[in-house]
Amino acid sequence: MCLRDVYCHNVGVTLASEPERIQLCGAIVIEKDGERCESRLPGRQGRMLFAYLVLNRHRSCSRSELAEALWGDNAPDASEAGLNALVSKLRKGLWAGAIDGRTSLRLPLHHDAWVDVEVAEQAVHKAESRIALREYPPAWGPALAGLFISERAFMPDDEAPWIDHQRATLADIRVRALEAYAASALGTGGTELLAAVRAGRQLVRLVPLRESGYQVLMRALADQGNVAEALAVHAELSNVLREELGVSPSAATQAVYNSLLHS
């Protein structure tokens, strides 16, 4: 199942086929009007050029910017010719009008295009908005969809500063998605409490200095009737913060702790 299908399944919607569908996390997928065309990318540099243009699709990119994205500070003397060759191959291999411009270049996509990195951020924002309104069940699907996308490696076979930046952005989205998923499961309660516990433990492992995971885990365990285990989680957090930062848990965490003592 592709990431688009995972998103639709978890959000609970059926979408018409988009004019373009682009997946940059995990195996690269490029689909135009139902036809797959990622095999037409001209090698590693062609893949990187395409991905960079996708990420910056709402603006034009100068040729010098694109050369730096491909070769960094080690651009060969023939980088201009190399870039021209890559652009020409992309224009021939993809669809008509895929690359727009001459002195500066842009990859224009339809406003209904599905781009996984954009969808992940939109899904997490939607989940967080639902949670802010205390609408927990509707937050579950978008949070999980954002999590599925952000857990996959971005451009796993390539390295460049802008790729590292995008990976850092997706790492933040992953944490936010996991927080939203945990909050939605906790807020829903019942059979979803086990999912909240799992998500809380995963957050604690992923970002051990971020208190949100401990808070969710404490509350979920208490709701399951495991108050002693929830208090042990608070003790664990206190030790980590004291040893690593020399600080105590925040007021928000202390409020959860106090509620456990009086439960």
Side-chain angles (χ1 to χ4, degrees):
M1 181 181 288
C2 71
L3 293 187
R4 172 194 178 272
D5 295 333
V6 168
Y7 173 80
C8 295
H9 172 76
N10 286 296
V11 176
V13 297
T14 301
L15 298 178
S17 180
E18 297 87 357
E20 300 98 5
R21 179 173 68 89
I22 298 171
Q23 177 177 301
L24 300 177
C25 297
I28 190 167
V29 173
I30 307 170
E31 186 175 304
K32 171 68 172 175
D33 295 328
E35 181 182 359
R36 295 281 291 269
C37 47
E38 62 270 11
S39 62
R40 304 173 193 169
L41 293 176
R44 183 184 68 85
Q45 290 176 337
R47 180 174 66 242
M48 291 178 65
L49 176 58
F50 177 82
Y52 190 86
L53 288 171
V54 170
L55 292 179
N56 296 278
R57 68 186 181 96
H58 297 295
R59 66 180 181 89
S60 294
C61 302
S62 68
R63 288 179 173 269
S64 60
E65 177 185 349
L66 295 173
E68 182 178 357
L70 292 176
W71 293 289
D73 296 330
N74 300 315
D77 294 337
S79 60
E80 179 66 23
L83 180 60
N84 288 339
L86 287 173
V87 172
S88 178
K89 290 177 181 178
L90 282 181
R91 283 187 165 129
K92 291 179 181 178
L94 299 178
W95 54 91
I99 309 295
D100 184 43
R102 293 294 176 184
T103 57
S104 59
L105 302 174
R106 178 172 170 265
L107 191 148
L109 298 176
H110 193 274
H111 68 274
D112 284 336
W114 191 95
V115 180
D116 61 349
V117 292
E118 297 176 2
V119 169
E121 186 167 6
Q122 293 164 2
V124 170
H125 178 72
K126 181 177 181 180
E128 291 171 337
S129 298
R130 293 289 193 179
I131 289 168
L133 296 172
R134 299 183 181 275
E135 298 175 353
Y136 298 111
W140 184 89
L144 195 56
L147 189 59
F148 272 124
I149 294 173
S150 59
E151 283 182 332
R152 294 198 178 193
F154 175 80
M155 303 288 290
D157 298 323
D158 302 298
E159 297 294 336
W162 61 271
I163 293 177
D164 291 337
H165 175 77
Q166 184 61 42
R167 287 172 181 164
T169 297
L170 283 166
D172 180 65
I173 290 174
R174 180 188 178 191
V175 172
R176 289 169 55 199
L178 191 55
E179 287 176 333
Y181 175 66
S184 67
L186 179 64
T188 301
T191 57
E192 290 300 317
L193 285 177
L194 183 58
V197 170
R198 288 197 301 264
R201 294 194 191 283
Q202 189 175 352
L203 276 168
V204 168
R205 291 193 299 270
L206 188 64
V207 279
L209 298 180
R210 192 157 170 156
E211 296 186 39
S212 59
Y214 296 91
Q215 293 170 11
V216 167
L217 184 55
M218 290 164 62
R219 293 172 60 195
L221 287 169
D223 287 352
Q224 286 184 323
N226 301 321
V227 176
E229 190 175 353
L231 293 173
V233 171
H234 180 270
E236 177 187 353
L237 170 62
S238 298
N239 290 334
V240 168
L241 292 179
R242 182 175 59 252
E243 293 176 2
E244 297 293 331
L245 303 176
V247 300
S248 300
S250 67
T253 300
Q254 285 303 116
V256 177
Y257 175 72
N258 292 334
S259 70
L260 296 179
L261 291 178
H262 296 92
S263 60

